[in-house]
Amino acid sequence: MSLMLQSLVALTLLTCGAVAAVPVVVDRPEPVAADADAPLAVAGESLRVVEAPGGRWFLNGDPIGRGALADLLRQQGATQPVRYLPSAALGVGQVAQSLAWLRRSGAAAAVLAIPEREP
């Protein structure tokens, strides 16, 4: 009977430890790209900019802050085309404002890139 009691105590302690660790794992902040880590595109390749709800931006698949994106677009100028893909959750007005902002930020060749649906 003592082996069964020891196993039950060990299982209880293991379960309590696992449950206690859940908040620590869940509350970890998401990594944010630093301004120095701004991804640069290869010459001749178009920049793919995605805007997600909540003011989150992604450049070629990597998260980037709005300020860092504006700096990068000013540095690149109009040398590389910018393909802007907004989230479907954004309104038409917000998409128009963001596209205008991209063009004012130095990407004169910023175009709205909506993927085609297949039937």
Side-chain angles (χ1 to χ4, degrees):
M1 188 65 130
S2 96
L3 182 60
M4 186 178 211
L5 184 60
Q6 288 176 350
S7 298
L8 183 60
V9 169
L11 183 60
T12 303
L13 290 175
L14 182 65
T15 303
C16 289
V19 169
V22 168
V24 174
V25 173
V26 172
D27 285 341
R28 285 190 180 168
E30 292 183 22
V32 178
D35 290 345
D37 297 335
L40 297 174
V42 179
E45 178 182 305
S46 66
L47 299 171
R48 295 177 317 274
V49 177
V50 176
E51 182 181 13
R56 295 178 301 154
W57 291 84
F58 298 88
L59 177 63
N60 293 342
D62 296 321
I64 187 169
R66 186 177 171 119
L69 178 60
D71 291 341
L72 179 70
L73 292 175
R74 273 193 293 281
Q75 290 172 3
Q76 297 285 331
T79 59
Q80 294 175 312
V82 175
R83 298 175 52 82
Y84 169 60
L85 179 63
S87 167
L90 299 176
V92 174
Q94 188 173 358
V95 170
Q97 288 175 347
S98 295
L99 186 59
W101 175 79
L102 285 170
R103 289 177 176 160
R104 282 192 314 269
S105 296
V111 295
L112 188 59
I114 305 224
E116 295 180 19
R117 291 188 180 193
E118 294 189 23

